[in-house]
Amino acid sequence: MWLVLYGIVAYPEAAAHCSPSRCMDPCSGDKPTVYLYPDSMLEESERRSDFTIFRAWMKTYQVNDPALACLFIPPVNTLCGGNRCRPPPLVMDHRLRSLPHWNGGRNHVLFDLSDEDRTPFSPSLAVVVRSNFLRWNYRYGFDVSAVLPSKINNMDLQYDPRKTPPRRNLTKAIWSRKWKLAFKGRCTHPLRLVLSRMFHNPSAGRVVLVDRGDSPWCNHVPALSGDQALFEQFSNPEFDDDQLLVNATFGLVLPGNGEHSMRMVEVMQAGAVPVIVYEDLVLPFTDLLNWNDIAVLVRFSEIDTIPQRLEDIDQKRLVRMQKLGQDAYYSYFYCVQAIFDTALLQVW
């Protein structure tokens, strides 16, 4: 019976209660064996280089014979930048159910690395690896909440996850960085404009700027007299994009098209401490990471407490948060392959 809503598509009630023992056949061996479906299930207009790159990253696990595979991965929105390759949900569901080894989704892994709140398919018995999971459509202990890759992620196909990548040189004490709090981005969520109005104050060490542009989201927010002055500061060279976060103690991680955005990775890459503003988001790799040790977690209703909460963090705790954040970044988020490896090993 189709009862439970997943994003915008209903799916079988049994799938809502999936666990590895209930919805997956056991795997053997010392590493996952993965069968990658051919991309012939995609329309010509939807084919991108993303799945080709994905195949290169999966070489370590890939088998050509589906009979030898433990996990099956179809080419579903694997790295679809800007959510541009999403067919309608019912179309995607039809394609998935038509796969020769689908079996209700058992032992299948669906990657949905986008920043939208809604998923384009009903996962059935398949494990879903998403970068924007909300608590009501996340199956704890079964699905995997991943991070949204950023443009700064290392895309080098020669990356070897067994080697320690070079770390950013963090010689300057984090508490002595020029900016106390920083954010700069497009106005893809009204909360970004709200926080810019509340907190942007360079003389107090806070740079929170948005580019309103033609954003439909922020155009719904009534204009205030000081907005134009805020928008004009966006292009101020003093707040240069490349230098802002590396000179900030804390970096705001605000919702974008969905509750999760690539800002999380960018803040951690810069060696700043994330200040994650969210409501229903399941934080990435939540089974592996204690986010309270890495970031300042703020619910929507608590945003006015941000300045005082940051002031209350002493230098010892700040250094520890930075170190744990860097450990997490270079272990799990440093490049797209590290994200995939972590997700697959969690599934397996």
Side-chain angles (χ1 to χ4, degrees), residues 141-213:
F142 188 70
D143 291 326
V144 177
S145 181
V147 73
L148 181 65
S150 164
K151 61 185 178 182
I152 63 173
N153 279 88
N154 190 339
M155 302 292 283
D156 184 2
L157 297 184
Q158 303 303 313
Y159 167 74
D160 185 345
R162 295 167 298 181
K163 296 179 181 178
T164 302
R167 295 200 175 205
R168 176 179 288 277
N169 183 10
L170 301 174
T171 54
K172 190 172 184 178
I174 186 171
W175 62 83
S176 64
R177 289 183 170 191
K178 180 177 181 179
W179 305 114
K180 180 78 171 182
L181 179 68
F183 174 85
K184 189 177 179 183
R186 293 173 55 239
C187 199
T188 51
H189 192 285
L191 195 61
R192 294 186 172 194
L193 178 54
V194 171
L195 266 66
S196 179
R197 291 169 173 172
M198 291 177 65
F199 297 140
H200 181 69
N201 185 351
S203 63
R206 301 194 299 262
V207 177
V208 183
L209 291 170
V210 295
D211 179 12
R212 186 163 192 166

Side-chain angles (χ1 to χ4, degrees), residues 20-328:
S21 61
R22 180 178 296 177
C23 298
M24 291 187 70
D25 297 325
C27 299
S28 59
D30 57 358
K31 68 178 182 179
T33 51
V34 175
Y35 176 73
L36 295 172
Y37 281 98
D39 59 7
S40 56
M41 70 176 287
L42 298 174
E43 297 293 336
E44 189 66 35
S45 61
E46 297 166 351
R47 295 181 189 178
R48 297 163 52 87
S49 61
D50 300 335
F51 202 63
T52 302
I53 296 173
F54 186 56
R55 290 182 187 282
W57 283 324
M58 291 291 106
K59 276 184 179 179
T60 305
Y61 312 110
Q62 186 176 1
V63 294
N64 294 322
D65 183 356
L68 301 177
C70 169
L71 302 175
F72 297 79
I73 301 179
V76 179
N77 197 35
T78 305
L79 280 175
C80 187
N83 312 317
R84 290 187 297 272
C85 65
R86 291 177 158 225
L90 293 179
V91 173
M92 181 57 76
D93 279 348
H94 173 73
R95 293 177 184 175
L96 292 173
R97 290 195 297 269
S98 300
L99 293 173
H101 312 289
W102 181 241
N103 191 24
R106 185 174 291 271
N107 285 60
H108 280 65
V109 183
L110 305 182
F111 282 88
D112 181 17
L113 299 187
S114 71
D115 58 357
E116 287 194 353
D117 289 333
R118 300 181 299 178
T119 186
F121 45 75
S122 53
S124 188
L125 304 182
V127 176
V128 180
V129 178
R130 290 200 71 201
S131 53
N132 199 29
F133 256 124
L134 302 181
R135 56 185 172 81
W136 57 77
N137 58 19
Y138 177 71
R139 295 169 292 181
Y140 286 85
F142 188 70
D143 291 326
V144 177
S145 181
V147 73
L148 181 65
S150 164
K151 61 185 178 182
I152 63 173
N153 279 88
N154 190 339
M155 302 292 283
D156 184 2
L157 297 184
Q158 303 303 313
Y159 167 74
D160 185 345
R162 295 167 298 181
K163 296 179 181 178
T164 302
R167 295 200 175 205
R168 176 179 288 277
N169 183 10
L170 301 174
T171 54
K172 190 172 184 178
I174 186 171
W175 62 83
S176 64
R177 289 183 170 191
K178 180 177 181 179
W179 305 114
K180 180 78 171 182
L181 179 68
F183 174 85
K184 189 177 179 183
R186 293 173 55 239
C187 199
T188 51
H189 192 285
L191 195 61
R192 294 186 172 194
L193 178 54
V194 171
L195 266 66
S196 179
R197 291 169 173 172
M198 291 177 65
F199 297 140
H200 181 69
N201 185 351
S203 63
R206 301 194 299 262
V207 177
V208 183
L209 291 170
V210 295
D211 179 12
R212 186 163 192 166
D214 58 356
S215 167
W217 294 107
C218 287
N219 285 338
H220 291 304
V221 180
L224 297 181
S225 58
D227 286 353
Q228 189 58 40
L230 274 177
F231 300 145
E232 290 174 355
Q233 291 190 58
F234 191 86
S235 57
N236 187 329
E238 183 183 5
F239 312 131
D240 178 71
D241 293 33
D242 294 332
Q243 296 300 313
L244 189 62
L245 283 175
V246 297
N247 288 309
T249 301
F250 296 95
L252 274 172
V253 180
L254 302 178
N257 293 317
E259 277 205 34
H260 182 56
S261 79
M262 63 181 65
R263 299 295 176 183
M264 184 179 293
V265 169
E266 292 179 351
V267 169
M268 296 174 75
Q269 191 270 346
V273 171
V275 179
I276 303 173
V277 180
Y278 73 114
E279 192 63 31
D280 297 303
L281 180 70
V282 179
L283 295 171
F285 300 144
T286 187
D287 293 333
L288 297 175
L289 299 172
N290 184 346
W291 282 97
N292 283 298
D293 291 339
I294 297 171
V296 180
L297 305 181
V298 182
R299 300 289 184 177
F300 289 174
S301 61
E302 302 170 335
I303 56 175
D304 59 330
T305 69
I306 289 175
Q308 187 58 53
R309 290 180 64 179
L310 302 190
E311 289 298 328
D312 291 343
I313 298 175
D314 61 32
Q315 291 183 3
K316 183 177 180 180
R317 183 184 170 202
L318 197 56
V319 170
R320 183 171 183 270
M321 293 176 80
Q322 183 189 45
K323 180 185 182 303
L324 292 176
Q326 290 291 282
D327 290 345

